[in-house]
Amino acid sequence: MPLLNRSLLVAAATLSVAVATAAPVDIHPGAYPTDSTWTNGVSSNGLTSVGRTTIGSGVTDAFKLTGTNYTPLNPLTGHSNAVATAASADGTLVVGFSIDGSGNNQAVSWTGSTATRLDINGEFLFSEATGVGISGATTTIVGWGFSTVDPMNYREEFFYVRGGNLVNLSVLFNAFATKAVGVSADGNTVVGIVADSFSGPGMVSGFVHTIGGTASLSLVNAHTHIAAFGNAGLNLTQMTGISGDGAVAIGFASSSLNSNPSGNEQAFKYTRTGAAYEALGTLTGGNWSIARAINSDGSVIVGQAGNAVGREEAFVHQSGTMTGLGFLQGGISSNATGVSADGTVIVGYADAGLNRTHAFVYANQTMLDETEWMRSLNGPGSLTASGYNLTLLAMEGAHHRPLMSYDAMGKQTHVWATGDFGASSRQTDRRSSFGEVGASQTYGETVVGVAVGTAMQTQDLLFGGNAKITGQTFLAEVDTRLADKESIVSLLVMRGQWDARTARGYLTGAGTDLSRGETDLDTTTVRVRYDGPTQKFVSNFTAAPYASFAVTRTNVDGFAESGGSFPATFNATSHTAQEGRLGLLTKFVAGPATTLRLTAEWIHRFDDAGDGLSGVSQTTSGAFAVAGLAPTKDQARFGFDVDHKLSADTLLNFSVHAAGFGQAHDVAGSLSLRRGF
């Protein structure tokens, strides 16, 4: 249902107790198809996500997204890149690190888009900030860095920053290396990792540190408290986060410190009261799991695990059950990295195929690409395409030839009634009808005509959706015969006012669903046409070339859907179609009352994709922007006309046309009755 420019969809998705009504949504901007995005965390209120992307001037650029507002986060002056790792509860403060040209990191914070260096006194050679907590006027940022004390033997040391002052806490662990990986919402409880060495460790444990508390430090060793971990040789304990209330810490036990999962990791949670450990298990059929983030009260834990077929899959663990979140279309891996305080928003990133990684937000137990979410109302099924197509029915039906080309029957004034019908099934399933009444007057070598009409189109959309458009048209046409008495130049202007009702279908974890909407659209068409002089081959058989160029502007009002799992609010859209036609008309006079016409024409569209779909998901409050799909550029069309005089002043016309693959109806027919006075 896919943000930077189309903005990352980040905001409140709704999970049921059993996570039965949620779905990860691809939130990568469609305007950057070859780039990647990673979401590293989400604010406690679920409205601001932070991470990194390959979109931008650098190899890695930090960003935050609040609602529909995307903000690039600048690195420090002189640095080339940055990464955002965590956000405060309300999303106004973001932390992470800035990267210089040599690849060295410096811990920073952002309020707005300007980076502030945290290690202002040069405590570390390089550093990273990993978490932020705020209590009243007190802000606590935690992280770690390489000490300058012994530059020949780098040792990681964890720190916290309060009131602009950086406090190095390495003294708590003597000569051991340490990293802080998270902090509680109030900034008072820090979790991290302690090791004899992070390059080739013999010992790795988790720790929980209470800043200023009487029991300031406790070690966490999962393998000594969960027998299965110890028996499997999972002797290294790594912490990854702590609940907002500081009561529950999470992490995983493993046999090594590989940067990628090695296949034996086991997620666990540690409840500080009672020092209770609990293994979280694995996905059904899988054999490893890593906990990445936890909500405020510890009831919702997210992360990554191996599934039954050996793929890396994002998961959510709640009520004692681990549930896989699935994958984006075309992808084979996913990873959940953040969760809001109430557990209703899960963010992460996933493989999207073609060597791309896309950020996602969880909204319905299916990772649904935003393009897929909107596919039934995009391209040939879009409202702009439908408005153009209804106009096209009249242009290819009642007005597929100039008014002056009909037999004048010796009269100066004419009236007509026409019915047009069209159907398509190859590019889209569509049925259209159009009725029109009009009148014309001849002034020497010029004919002026006006008409009013009504039209209806029904269209089957993907995933069980449908659309119905009804409305009225007004048309004016002026034809002039040139000096050769055969060539005709005509100008046609048509205006349409339409009402559209849509039922947009899309896939969810439970199958398909529909969201319904209603809006107004209008179309304005201007066509210039030239019909050349006829060439006579035999006494009653002639041929003549023709060419036309038409511009159709379609405007669709914004509207809000209702119903379904993922209704959307759409912004207004517009599109200008530009179409040229070259054709050949052959005419055969079958008798005094009957003339047969055969036409063959080539249609070329000069316009490109134009506007796609943009707006806001009502379920997640996040913005989306899906690129439009380009029309079929070239299409052939063939027609057959019969003009038959019912009397000296009454003409019956019947035509039928068939077209190749493209925007024109596969088959269209027209029947008109014309009377001269």
Side-chain angles (χ1 to χ4, degrees):
M1 327 180 194
L3 301 185
L4 309 161
N5 206 355
R6 84 171 154 186
S7 297
L8 298 167
L9 283 170
V10 174
T14 301
L15 289 173
S16 69
V17 173
V19 202
T21 59
V25 177
D26 186 331
I27 55 179
H28 183 84
Y32 304 93
T34 62
D35 293 292
S36 294
T37 46
W38 295 261
T39 298
N40 293 328
V42 64
S43 60
S44 296
N45 61 14
L47 298 178
T48 299
S49 67
V50 298
R52 63 186 178 96
T53 175
T54 58
I55 299 168
S57 58
V59 176
T60 301
D61 288 316
F63 71 86
K64 77 170 183 177
L65 184 99
T66 303
T68 61
N69 297 318
Y70 168 71
T71 304
L73 302 177
N74 300 319
L76 292 170
T77 301
H79 286 200
S80 54
N81 312 111
V83 175
T85 58
S88 62
D90 61 3
T92 58
L93 179 64
V94 180
V95 300
F97 53 91
S98 177
I99 310 170
D100 67 19
S102 299
N104 296 325
N105 304 339
Q106 289 294 332
V108 296
S109 65
W110 290 274
T111 52
S113 60
T114 301
T116 299
R117 183 168 177 161
L118 298 177
D119 183 15
I120 57 176
N121 294 319
E123 183 82 19
F124 301 106
L125 292 174
F126 44 96
S127 56
E128 298 180 5
T130 56
V132 55
I134 299 177
S135 178
T138 302
T139 297
T140 303
I141 299 172
V142 301
W144 63 274
F146 280 105
S147 172
T148 60
V149 175
D150 186 4
M152 298 302 295
N153 296 286
Y154 291 158
R155 184 178 74 233
E156 296 89 341
E157 299 176 349
F158 87 95
F159 66 81
Y160 72 85
V161 178
R162 276 184 175 175
N165 297 314
L166 186 148
V167 179
N168 188 336
L169 295 172
S170 60
V171 65
L172 294 174
F173 295 94
N174 296 320
F176 286 99
T178 56
K179 292 182 179 180
V181 297
V183 64
S184 60
D186 62 8
N188 290 327
T189 306
V190 185
V191 293
I193 312 166
V194 57
D196 54 358
S197 169
F198 282 113
S199 58
M203 182 279 291
V204 179
S205 297
F207 72 80
V208 179
H209 170 63
T210 303
I211 297 176
T214 55
S216 64
L217 182 67
S218 59
L219 292 178
V220 179
N221 288 293
H223 70 280
T224 62
H225 293 84
I226 301 176
F229 291 3
N231 294 337
L234 307 181
N235 298 323
L236 307 182
T237 296
Q238 299 182 61
M239 307 304 294
T240 55
I242 188 168
S243 59
D245 60 11
V248 182
I250 57 169
F252 62 97
S254 63
S255 62
S256 65
L257 287 182
N258 295 332
S259 58
N260 295 315
S262 60
N264 63 11
E265 296 84 358
Q266 295 295 318
F268 71 91
K269 71 176 182 178
Y270 166 72
T271 303
R272 295 177 65 201
T273 299
Y277 292 79
E278 178 185 339
L280 301 184
T282 62
L283 293 174
T284 301
N287 56 13
W288 64 272
S289 60
I290 297 175
R292 303 283 191 194
I294 185 171
N295 75 326
S296 181
D297 63 3
S299 62
V300 179
I301 299 169
V302 301
Q304 186 182 43
N307 64 15
V309 296
R311 293 180 177 178
E312 301 171 358
E313 184 174 355
F315 74 77
V316 59
H317 184 281
Q318 66 182 136
S319 302
T321 301
M322 183 179 291
T323 303
L325 305 186
F327 308 95
L328 294 177
Q329 185 177 15
I332 58 173
S333 66
S334 57
N335 188 11
T337 58
V339 60
S340 63
D342 61 4
T344 62
V345 178
I346 299 172
V347 299
Y349 53 86
D351 171 35
L354 302 177
N355 295 316
R356 302 165 302 162
T357 298
H358 286 187
F360 72 77
V361 62
Y362 191 73
N364 188 349
Q365 202 161 338
T366 302
M367 288 193 185
L368 185 61
D369 187 287
E370 185 180 72
T371 301
E372 188 80 0
W373 181 44
M374 290 294 164
R375 187 153 64 97
S376 69
L377 272 184
N378 202 4
S382 70
L383 293 180
T384 52
S386 296
Y388 167 74
N389 191 264
L390 261 178
T391 300
L392 202 62
L393 180 64
M395 306 291 284
E396 294 182 334
H399 299 278
H400 71 284
R401 49 193 272 203
L403 292 174
M404 190 173 275
S405 69
Y406 291 98
D407 191 338
M409 297 173 288
K411 309 294 184 180
Q412 302 298 306
T413 303
H414 295 81
V415 296
W416 68 85
T418 299
D420 300 327
F421 309 91
S424 296
S425 60
R426 288 175 294 177
Q427 191 174 58
T428 184
D429 291 324
R430 180 194 306 123
R431 297 152 300 280
S432 308
S433 60
F434 179 80
E436 179 187 88
V437 293
S440 66
Q441 182 68 38
T442 301
Y443 302 95
E445 297 298 329
T446 300
V447 173
V448 178
V450 295
V452 294
T454 183
M456 180 180 71
Q457 177 176 286
T458 58
Q459 182 166 276
D460 295 333
L461 302 175
L462 295 175
F463 312 120
N466 61 80
K468 182 177 182 180
I469 300 178
T470 58
Q472 294 75 44
T473 63
F474 173 80
L475 179 143
E477 180 178 339
V478 178
D479 301 345
T480 298
R481 199 179 303 276
L482 301 184
D484 61 9
K485 302 300 183 181
E486 292 184 345
S487 302
I488 299 172
V489 174
S490 65
L491 173 65
L492 182 149
V493 178
M494 181 176 177
R495 175 74 174 172
Q497 298 282 350
W498 315 101
D499 296 320
R501 296 183 179 181
T502 64
R504 179 174 58 86
Y506 46 88
L507 295 171
T508 70
T512 59
D513 206 352
L514 295 172
S515 293
R516 302 180 185 276
E518 184 172 353
T519 189
D520 297 327
L521 59 150
D522 62 75
T523 56
T524 302
T525 300
V526 178
R527 183 186 73 185
V528 178
R529 174 168 168 147
Y530 169 76
D531 287 73
T534 60
Q535 302 294 319
K536 184 179 291 187
F537 292 94
V538 294
S539 59
N540 57 352
F541 181 83
T542 61
Y546 64 89
S548 68
F549 181 77
V551 177
T552 299
R553 176 72 172 180
T554 304
N555 300 306
V556 181
D557 292 347
F559 66 100
E561 293 178 321
S562 61
S565 304
F566 302 103
T569 298
F570 292 92
N571 296 327
T573 57
S574 298
H575 185 69
T576 301
Q578 303 173 55
E579 172 202 277
R581 299 188 182 217
L582 290 175
L584 181 69
L585 163 68
T586 59
K587 183 168 64 174
F588 177 73
V589 179
T594 304
T595 300
L596 308 179
R597 295 168 178 259
L598 295 174
T599 57
E601 63 184 16
W602 191 257
I603 308 169
H604 179 75
R605 288 283 292 271
F606 294 93
D607 53 300
D608 293 319
D611 289 353
L613 297 173
S614 65
V616 177
S617 166
Q618 295 178 29
T619 304
T620 66
S621 300
F624 62 85
V626 181
L629 301 180
T632 302
K633 285 293 186 182
D634 296 288
Q635 185 179 16
R637 189 168 180 265
F638 304 92
F640 173 70
D641 271 58
V642 178
D643 288 351
H644 179 71
K645 286 185 179 180
L646 299 178
S647 65
D649 55 9
T650 304
L651 178 70
L652 178 68
N653 169 261
F654 169 75
S655 67
V656 61
H657 290 79
F661 186 85
Q663 285 74 41
H665 288 85
D666 295 348
V667 179
S670 181
L671 183 66
S672 68
L673 188 66
R674 299 173 180 270
R675 182 72 182 266
F677 294 95

